[in-house]
Amino acid sequence: MRCAMALRHMDFAQRLGTMFREEYPDSKFAPIVSTIMLESLFFSQHYDEALRLASQVRDKLAEDDENRDLASFVIGASLFNLDRIQEAQPELEQHAAKYPKSRFHEYVRYFLASSFQKQKDWKKGGELLDQFIKDFPKSDYLAFALFDRATCHFQLGEYDACMAKLGDLQKQFPEFPNLDMAIAMRGDAHLMLNNNEQAEAAYLR
């Protein structure tokens, strides 16, 4: 199973894990297999299955068990990716507070910051996104964080700051999948500042 994961054969790893858990439910290795499966399920974007298994695993773990780090991360992160934001927020907040040195801390920090933006708490979301961008300048989530931060600025009427973040996004991530939305937001920001010519130029890009 570990070899399959190392080779990024996630679906095969999951099948092996499921077979082991079904055939040897009382094995001393069952918790280890469940832990490995959690990562496999989550990072292969099987969020419903990951959430279900993580909840089962965590319920059986003592509060001080180190494996609660992973299980709690998968619960909060899966809820976030399933767009169950109200349920995700407290899980992510608890994880960020309890496991500041977790190897999943970067993910949790972004998901938590973005969750406030998704809940339209523009001020709180903006503050957390600023801190995330400062703390994780090389993050795989940086492009999304810049876009989310620009959105918060726009909704707060901070149009110059919005355009500055969009400029950073376009410069650093020209292949960003939502770049068309970023360009449209730049046009809207110019429009709100009565920069009609700049707005038109942005819309025509």
Side-chain angles (χ1 to χ4, degrees), residues 14-31:
Q14 290 161 31
R15 287 199 298 273
L16 290 174
T18 300
M19 289 169 58
F20 183 90
R21 293 177 74 244
E22 289 175 351
E23 293 184 27
Y24 308 103
D26 299 321
S27 169
K28 66 178 181 180
F29 298 111

Side-chain angles (χ1 to χ4, degrees), residues 116 120-129 149 152 156:
F116 282 95
K120 300 183 180 181
D121 188 339
W122 311 118
K123 188 173 187 300
K124 178 71 171 180
E127 291 170 353
L128 292 178
L129 287 162
R149 186 60 180 107
C152 291
L156 291 168

